[in-house]
Amino acid sequence: MISRRSIALALTNVLFAGPAWSASGNVIKMFDTDNDGTLDLAEVKKAAAALFAKLDPDHDGTLDARELRGRLTAKELAVADPDHDGTLTLDEYLAVVEQRFKAANPDNDGTLDAKELNSRAGRALLRLLK
């Protein structure tokens, strides 16, 4: 016999997990240039570099805490900023992207699928792409 709690949990998973999977799938479709249904590091870095350019309205080649708002916390920015100037260059930003890509790729196959993008590490990476 199925309990009410089991039914409620199943419904919750369907209602709340579905959109996240869908969102991950949409991200894959947006950035998957080779149309293999996954994202590799080159595709992710290309998307991140394009976003970097959009986030840099003053075209000074760096992103500060204000420009990175919602993507990196102040603590994450401090860790990612090797020269401690309070900004990230494109190379520094891409280093963070690569680090998060690797964290989201526990099977080390070099690609991220929707399930991996929906993980905590995957969502942290996606914040750097949106």
Side-chain angles (χ1 to χ4, degrees):
M1 179 183 240
I2 298 174
S3 70
R4 286 183 182 180
R5 181 177 177 185
S6 295
I7 293 171
L9 285 172
L11 273 174
T12 300
N13 286 337
V14 168
L15 291 174
F16 293 105
W21 286 100
S22 176
S24 298
N26 289 338
V27 169
I28 290 174
K29 287 178 186 174
M30 281 183 359
F31 303 130
D32 182 18
T33 56
D34 62 5
N35 297 312
D36 68 350
T38 65
L39 296 180
D40 62 33
L41 184 57
E43 291 167 331
V44 168
K45 281 187 168 184
K46 182 178 178 183
L51 179 64
F52 184 96
K54 286 182 187 177
L55 294 176
D56 186 21
D58 56 4
H59 305 291
D60 67 350
T62 64
L63 298 179
D64 59 27
R66 182 184 49 78
E67 292 165 326
L68 288 165
R69 186 172 295 126
R71 290 172 178 82
L72 291 176
T73 66
K75 184 177 178 179
E76 291 169 331
L77 173 59
V79 170
D81 181 18
D83 56 6
H84 306 292
D85 67 351
T87 66
L88 294 183
T89 64
L90 176 59
D91 288 340
E92 292 167 343
Y93 187 73
L94 293 179
V96 176
V97 168
E98 184 169 350
Q99 179 183 39
R100 289 193 178 180
F101 180 94
K102 288 178 180 178
N105 188 28
D107 60 5
N108 293 315
D109 68 350
T111 63
L112 299 178
D113 59 23
K115 182 178 178 183
E116 290 168 319
L117 287 170
N118 197 42
S119 70
R120 173 181 271 171
R123 289 188 306 269
L125 171 64
L126 291 177
R127 281 194 302 275
L128 299 178
L129 304 178
K130 294 184 190 180

